[in-house]
Amino acid sequence: MARGAACVLLAGLGVSLVAVAQPAVAPADPRPALLKRAAGETPLAKDLEDLTDHVGGRPTGTPACTRAVAWGLDRFRALKLPRVYTESFTLPVLWLPGTLDVRVTAPESFAVRAASAPASPSTSSPLDARVVDAGEGTEADFLRLGKAAAGAILLVHQKEMKTLDQLFEEYMKSRPLLAAARAVRAVAVLLESTRPRGLLYRHPVDFGALAPLPVAVISRESAERMGRLLQQGEVRAHVAIHSQTGGTNVSENVIGEIPGREKPGEVVLLGAHLDSWDLGTGAEDNGVNVALVLDVARAFMEMGLVPRRTVRFVLFTGEEQGMYGSAGYAERHKAELRDHAAVVVFDLGSGKTSGFQVSGRPELRAAVARAFSGVPGLGEEAAHAVDAFDGTDNFDFLLAGVPTFVADQDGAPYLPDYHAESDVFERVNLPEAKRNAALAAVLVWALAEAPQPPGKHQSRAEVEALLKATKLDQQMRAFGQWEDWASGKRGFPRPP
Ligand SMILES: [Zn+2]
């Protein structure tokens, strides 16, 4: 957009603009009205309160997740979107939380605050065993332990997590750590919580498979006490974990769409994941962005907006287990992904959005800058990050060469409650969530209305080069996903 037009847009922010649908012709620029609307009274908070307080925590595979899917369908229908439906997909492994009991039994007896880790198998019978201090579970720690680890429960210390990078380190070390624990014939692993003051969280320790031995996260305070007792002599503990585990299982994504006015076959997708972990009620991760997706759909319907391309609003499930909802969508729509002009995903709670990650594709920045021309801080002057990470629902679209845009949000307010008991409604920054909804509406409108798509579809070779350049390949290997890309199970078919 030209500078002159940007001034018109800014001027429009202060006045009451009403956009009226003109399905046959290009409508007037609705972006000022979209921004103004989201800043006023909207039901975003009410939707979030409903989802978190009535449905609550909703791991994929639980009755709560089924209720969340029904809730999402109801919401899309209430908005009278022209098309509303669900699509099923298959997850490779089932893991649902059950009961657990962790206690120190000697030299003193005390209960240990603990949460079973997603992907942890159950203990076949309750364990009563020696505890050994495995330090931070590094290679050197395992060498030092030697035979002492056989038959023992490993206590693994962790530092407090304060940044997204530290969170990724926590994920990246899981599989090698558990493989090493298994190799030394340990019987269970107790991971020290990375959050202080007794806070527990669900830390998935594997994706797409069960872990090789039982794992629980225990409170920092219990872990530190056990560590001090271990310096004085033998410590014994009782560990019983019962989780519901199984093989493949089916879940559903919820979809609502507004068919495009000129290019109904081309799709701009706005997505957020509907599932969550269960200790809290999944407000920041990711109920608030489910409410955001609903609010953007509501804005388009209220204002009668019908852009050039189809806008598809998708609430994915199966995200927490390894982005299986979006992977299932990409698989099901394989033949049409070349017609997906863009995928926009929000998955960092109500953190302030400073731009959009273009995941290793700097040429996509221009489309974002055009979408936000005239919006302070987000237009031409914003440095939309080229970084990429393997951890939300844009990923399988990226693997298929589709241009993706992930909201680059401030992680600081999100991280302390991530997957934790404290991820509840009152943690959400509602004014920021409303601003995020405004930005999502503007970006989705602009991408769906622009004469040209924001960028080309990449080939398999281009995606492969991108994975290496952004080091996404290392994350994929750490999470056990690289084989699926290499074999053509995820992303492009294998080259001949
Ligand atoms: Zn999330």
Side-chain angles (χ1 to χ4, degrees):
M1 180 185 266
R3 289 220 167 263
C7 293
V8 171
L9 180 66
L10 273 178
L13 296 177
V15 299
S16 177
L17 278 184
V18 179
V20 178
Q22 301 284 341
V25 294
D29 186 350
R31 291 177 299 160
L34 285 168
L35 291 166
K36 188 171 191 305
R37 175 197 167 278
E41 285 285 314
T42 67
L44 185 148
K46 181 72 184 104
D47 278 345
L48 175 61
E49 190 180 332
D50 243 38
L51 178 63
T52 53
D53 287 350
H54 286 281
V55 177
R58 43 199 181 278
T60 302
T62 60
C65 187
T66 306
R67 285 180 64 204
V69 166
W71 179 90
L73 261 180
D74 268 8
R75 282 296 189 276
F76 277 146
R77 285 189 183 129
L79 297 177
K80 301 203 163 31
L81 286 169
R83 291 196 67 211
V84 177
Y85 51 102
T86 59
E87 284 180 350
S88 62
F89 62 92
T90 302
L91 294 98
V93 62
L94 180 75
W95 183 92
L96 299 179
T99 57
L100 95 165
D101 182 20
V102 181
R103 279 179 282 134
V104 169
T105 53
E108 310 299 339
S109 296
F110 58 92
V112 172
R113 272 179 62 69
S116 50
S120 165
S122 302
T123 48
S124 45
S125 58
L127 303 168
D128 285 285
R130 276 181 306 119
V131 178
V132 299
D133 194 320
E136 293 192 354
T138 62
E139 257 183 78
D141 287 321
F142 277 99
L143 277 175
R144 172 178 58 76
L145 279 180
K147 291 198 169 84
I153 295 164
L154 301 189
L155 170 65
V156 176
H157 295 278
Q158 305 197 94
K159 296 189 178 75
E160 265 190 66
M161 181 272 289
K162 302 225 164 116
T163 65
L164 267 175
D165 284 347
Q166 289 173 321
L167 176 64
F168 266 84
E169 280 165 28
E170 196 180 340
Y171 278 124
M172 302 268 285
K173 77 173 192 207
S174 263
R175 292 176 97 230
L177 168 73
L178 299 182
R182 174 58 175 255
V184 297
R185 292 187 294 119
V187 292
V189 171
L190 301 178
L191 291 171
E192 176 172 8
S193 167
T194 59
R195 330 286 167 80
R197 296 186 181 79
L199 194 64
L200 298 176
Y201 52 91
R202 293 282 183 220
H203 176 71
V205 288
D206 209 331
F207 297 93
L210 287 182
L213 75 173
V215 187
V217 169
I218 65 171
S219 76
R220 284 193 84 71
E221 292 73 12
S222 300
E224 293 299 317
R225 183 175 176 186
M226 287 164 75
R228 286 190 297 273
L229 291 172
L230 275 165
Q231 286 176 4
Q232 298 166 28
E234 185 167 291
V235 172
R236 296 189 66 84
H238 170 92
V239 175
I241 299 177
H242 277 281
S243 305
Q244 192 187 331
T245 56
T248 56
N249 58 105
V250 172
S251 186
E252 289 179 308
N253 298 321
V254 187
I255 304 174
E257 68 183 53
I258 301 175
R261 143 187 120 243
E262 275 178 27
K263 300 181 172 184
E266 292 187 17
V267 174
V268 170
L269 188 155
L270 174 65
H273 69 87
L274 178 60
D275 64 308
S276 76
W277 289 118
D278 61 308
L279 297 177
T281 57
E284 279 278 270
D285 191 12
N286 192 25
V288 67
N289 291 316
V290 167
L292 171 149
V293 170
L294 291 173
D295 200 55
V296 175
R298 183 184 293 115
F300 276 52
M301 293 307 292
E302 276 178 14
M303 292 166 58
L305 299 179
V306 183
R308 209 182 292 270
R309 297 182 182 79
T310 291
V311 178
R312 196 168 280 172
F313 302 97
V314 187
L315 307 179
F316 296 109
T317 62
E319 195 272 350
E320 298 292 6
Q321 288 73 12
M323 295 110 69
Y324 287 105
S326 44
Y329 177 102
E331 173 66 29
R332 177 187 284 262
H333 294 275
K334 212 171 205 148
E336 308 140 44
L337 287 185
R338 293 201 71 80
D339 300 318
H340 279 51
V343 169
V344 180
V345 168
F346 277 73
D347 190 11
L348 218 60
S350 54
K352 183 185 175 75
T353 300
S354 55
F356 285 82
Q357 281 190 2
V358 292
S359 303
R361 296 188 58 180
E363 75 280 10
L364 298 178
R365 282 170 165 166
V368 191
R370 274 196 299 278
F372 290 112
S373 59
V375 178
L378 282 162
E380 289 86 346
E381 70 277 32
H384 298 288
V386 183
D387 320 16
F389 72 99
D390 173 1
T392 191
D393 287 312
N394 74 311
F395 198 67
D396 283 82
F397 296 99
L398 179 151
L399 291 183
V402 177
T404 73
F405 302 88
V406 179
D408 197 352
Q409 300 179 257
D410 181 5
Y414 168 89
L415 288 171
D417 306 308
Y418 173 76
H419 291 180
E421 294 166 294
S422 55
D423 181 6
V424 291
F425 179 77
E426 58 268 36
R427 286 291 179 279
V428 173
N429 181 337
L430 290 169
E432 208 62 74
K434 283 161 70 77
R435 177 177 176 271
N436 291 341
L439 300 180
V442 164
L443 180 61
V444 167
W445 166 265
L447 293 172
E449 183 62 17
Q452 298 302 323
K456 66 171 204 133
H457 276 250
Q458 290 188 317
S459 65
R460 182 183 173 102
E462 286 167 328
V463 173
E464 183 122 1
L466 182 152
L467 296 178
K468 294 213 161 75
T470 54
K471 299 196 167 70
L472 276 171
D473 58 335
Q474 293 175 15
Q475 291 181 22
M476 292 171 76
R477 284 178 211 277
F479 302 152
Q481 297 165 330
W482 183 258
E483 298 73 14
D484 283 353
W485 157 260
S487 69
K489 203 170 149 200
R490 267 174 128 153
F492 290 88
R494 206 169 113 95

